Amino acid sequence: RPRAAAACAGLAASLRPELLPWAAVLGVGLYLADRRSPRAWLSPILAAAPFLLTACIRVAAFGRPAPLSIYAKAPDLAHGAAYALACALLAGPPALLAPLALRRLSPLARVLPASVLVHLLAIALAGGDWMPLSRLMVPVLPSLALAALLVAQESRLPVTAARVGLALAGQLYVLLAIGPVAARVGEDRFRVLDELRHPLSTARVVASLDIGWVGAATPATIVDLAGVTDPAIAALPGGHTTKRIPANLLDAREVDTLVLLLAPGQPLADPWTSSRFARGVESWIATTPGIAQEFAPVAETSLPDLRYVVLRRITPGSSAPFEVP
């Protein structure tokens, strides 16, 4: 059902922009493999139309065609290449390392491994992802699994077993070595939330890079220092974790509380601005002139590798307007 497949790929790309090259390859490939059909021309249209429609809706609603995260998270090619390489080694692509078998596939079957390769290139160009595990590879795993099956049908059993064993070895490594650490993320976040819920209960405006658990801990207004939910901050220089926050932004947004993350295993220094922080944006804030006299630490978490510090404003801020440079 090539049209249905193209439509599903297009719907996925409408939610995740980095999936557009994968969807486009599927759409064009399905058309080329099925071009004798009177409706074959629909496949590339169905693969691209949901993305284009979503872009038009974004322009009408927000004045920009792409998600705000694209502007907030500037692509880092070096990080993206490393991320794509990890995906290529650990997320199953070794099962497709069969040049002779790939040549024997039908034109329709060749579309799937081609789309997987294009997706690896796309996530490298997109800068990868700062979240753990191969999250950006997950949407194309069905394509990868089906392609591996089709390749296996054209290969000898010992060679197929070696390829699949290599692919599974990477996934088992992730499951056994990285999985237990990743599985504790939720538990650790809930512990942080419980420890800081009371110190954040009286906050009115909180600035933080980690808006997820902070937003769950307090009903206060959240200033997203990553810019993923804030167009003005998204336009600032720097990447997802390295935004160069202007000195007057905290005053202009009437921020009365900061939540910053210390580097793993590092204590809170005295003065707190001398501390080693985990991300660039937090280190940048610590260099703001006079920040040590405006904010003072009132609480910190107990986890050594997830040590957040809550700082409360002790002097009134100015009301100077903040403008994007």
Side-chain angles (χ1 to χ4, degrees), residues 32 54 204 212 292:
L32 294 176
T54 303
R204 293 185 299 104

Side-chain angles (χ1 to χ4, degrees), residues 204-228:
R204 293 185 299 104
V205 182
V206 181
S208 178
L209 189 66
D210 301 293
I211 64 173
W213 73 261
V214 173
T218 175
T221 298
I222 308 296
V223 175
D224 178 7
L225 296 179
V228 178

Side-chain angles (χ1 to χ4, degrees), residues 34-273:
D34 192 41
R35 58 181 177 271
R36 294 181 181 179
S37 170
R39 293 186 295 171
W41 56 272
L42 283 172
S43 292
I45 294 177
L46 291 172
F51 177 89
L52 297 175
L53 177 60
T54 303
C56 292
I57 293 174
R58 288 194 182 104
V59 169
F62 307 114
R64 54 185 178 272
L68 189 58
S69 59
I70 288 182
Y71 303 96
K73 301 180 180 181
D76 183 336
L77 186 57
H79 183 270
Y83 184 94
L85 178 61
C87 290
L89 295 175
L90 303 177
L96 302 180
L97 296 177
L100 297 179
L102 287 171
R103 291 176 59 184
R104 292 192 291 268
L105 293 179
S106 68
L108 183 61
R110 291 177 189 171
V111 172
L112 290 170
S115 70
V116 173
L117 174 61
V118 167
H119 182 65
L120 285 169
L121 295 175
I123 60 179
L125 293 175
D129 187 41
W130 295 101
M131 300 293 286
L133 309 178
S134 302
R135 185 174 69 106
L136 297 186
M137 192 68 182
V138 171
V140 305
L141 290 183
S143 296
L144 197 160
L146 183 55
L149 173 63
L150 296 174
V151 168
Q153 291 175 341
E154 301 293 335
S155 301
R156 292 182 295 112
L157 181 58
V159 179
T160 296
R163 283 197 311 270
V164 173
L166 185 61
L168 290 178
Q171 296 183 342
L172 285 173
Y173 167 77
V174 174
L175 176 66
L176 299 177
I178 305 174
V181 178
R184 293 198 299 268
V185 168
E187 179 183 347
D188 290 346
R189 286 297 187 276
F190 277 113
R191 180 173 169 182
V192 167
L193 194 153
D194 289 338
E195 290 184 1
L196 297 185
R197 190 189 303 273
H198 179 69
L200 293 174
S201 62
T202 57
R204 293 185 299 104
V205 182
V206 181
S208 178
L209 189 66
D210 301 293
I211 64 173
W213 73 261
V214 173
T218 175
T221 298
I222 308 296
V223 175
D224 178 7
L225 296 179
V228 178
T229 62
D230 191 310
I233 297 178
L236 294 173
H240 172 47
T241 61
T242 58
K243 291 297 181 187
R244 299 176 185 176
I245 305 298
N248 65 334
L249 184 142
L250 300 179
D251 292 339
R253 298 293 180 86
E254 299 182 346
V255 172
D256 60 18
T257 305
L258 295 172
V259 178
L260 309 180
L261 179 62
L262 298 172
Q266 293 297 312
L268 182 65
D270 185 15
W272 66 265
T273 51

